[in-house]
Amino acid sequence: MTIGWETTLACNMRCKHCGSDAGTKRANELDTAQALELCRQLDAFPEPHVTLTGGETFIRPDWPEIVAELVKRRRYLGIISNAWYVDADMAAQLKRLQGPDGLINLGLSLDGDRELHDEIRKPESYDRVLAALDHLREVGIYASIITVVNPKNIHCLDHVRDLALAHGAYAWQIQVTSEYGRAAEDGSLILDRDHYRRVGEKMVQYRRELEGGSCRVYSADCMGYFGALERDLRTRPWHGCHAGIRCLGVMSNGDVKGCLSLLEEVFVEGNILETPLAEIWEKPGAFGYNRDFTADMLTGPCGRCRYGYICRGGCHSTGYSILGTVNEAPYCLYAEERGWFDGPVVRRDKEVESLVELGGNPREINVGA
């Protein structure tokens, strides 16, 4: 369904909740020739939607070449950006690159009102996002808003909704903060379970309010699962994490994972500079933590859940960032309703460290608790 390509780890911001800890590019990032070769390798996957992310893609000097090549080969392309560089000239350039038959859409980060968004990201970045939305709308490039929720900005969600409508966003995706990177350094950005439920309730409210309108509301995979709100949280039923099954991610150095949000090196299945992407995807035993999943791998509340074999432990990146395992969800609306959580969300630091030190196959690492 989706291929995420982290074009660079370089970024002009140091967002407080950045799980990737983006800022400085990797020393061994793909050069232009290698990036264009990756564009050709993606031809082996004709159907999935490709999204460029980072870091900040627009920092790469060769981003127009990459975008042009992908649009020529695939027509449809997504780009996730912090919007800082998206002025009127860039919007016009994107329109030219899109051409008469292509379709480029931009997902722009917006995390609250001016004061809070600028505190989390960078001074003046709030105004840049709103200006970018207007520039893109003027030239006919679709734009959406992505909001990463933390305890500090829950009260701003109504404000973001109003901005999405006022500035012509065609979609709004809401997700929670994972405990990776800089977010792990600031515990105040991680939701407790009461906050998590409030976010779910607000999402259902927005989906009902905006149904059939110009802006669609999407629940990220970190929200759910199978509780009373589930049928109103997403359009399609939740069928578990798609990493290595219906999506994959390519890092800026060519490493391949099932999902870019699974940050640890133990999830790397290969590198496109050494093995073609299609061969990595088809490799026997690859992405075993998902492809070889069985319900008896689940632990904690997930191990006793009637929906476990479908849900597969919720969002793997959220679970691994907090609990150090892909086999148990730290948040779950159904488990909460059943009274299965016996305390607050607590990160298992020692477990995470020990798993990373193993450096082995995620299939082996995540079978146990």
Side-chain angles (χ1 to χ4, degrees), residues 312-334:
R312 297 167 169 254
C315 172
H316 286 352
S317 67
T318 304
Y320 204 83
S321 76
I322 296 175
L323 302 181
T325 176
V326 299
N327 297 320
E328 183 178 336
Y331 303 107
C332 174
L333 297 177
Y334 180 72

Side-chain angles (χ1 to χ4, degrees), residues 56 58 63 67 77-98 103-109 127-145 167-171:
E56 175 59 40
F58 293 129
W63 75 261
V67 169
L77 178 65
I79 306 173
I80 296 176
S81 172
N82 60 36
W84 187 265
Y85 299 108
V86 185
D87 55 14
D89 290 340
M90 180 177 284
Q93 185 177 13
L94 287 166
K95 181 65 174 180
R96 291 193 297 271
L97 291 169
Q98 176 177 270
L103 180 62
I104 296 174
N105 64 79
L106 265 66
L108 305 181
S109 302
D127 291 330
R128 295 261 188 154
V129 174
L130 300 189
L133 288 168
D134 294 339
H135 293 319
L136 295 168
R137 179 172 56 175
E138 289 168 4
V139 300
I141 295 288
Y142 285 100
S144 62
I145 289 174
H167 293 269
Y170 80 93

Side-chain angles (χ1 to χ4, degrees), residues 287-327:
F287 312 99
Y289 56 92
N290 238 3
R291 294 183 180 179
D292 298 336
F293 169 82
T294 57
D296 60 4
M297 295 162 62
L298 296 172
T299 59
C302 296
R304 62 196 292 190
C305 182
R306 61 183 294 190
Y307 300 110
Y309 73 101
I310 302 175
C311 182
R312 297 167 169 254
C315 172
H316 286 352
S317 67
T318 304
Y320 204 83
S321 76
I322 296 175
L323 302 181
T325 176
V326 299
N327 297 320

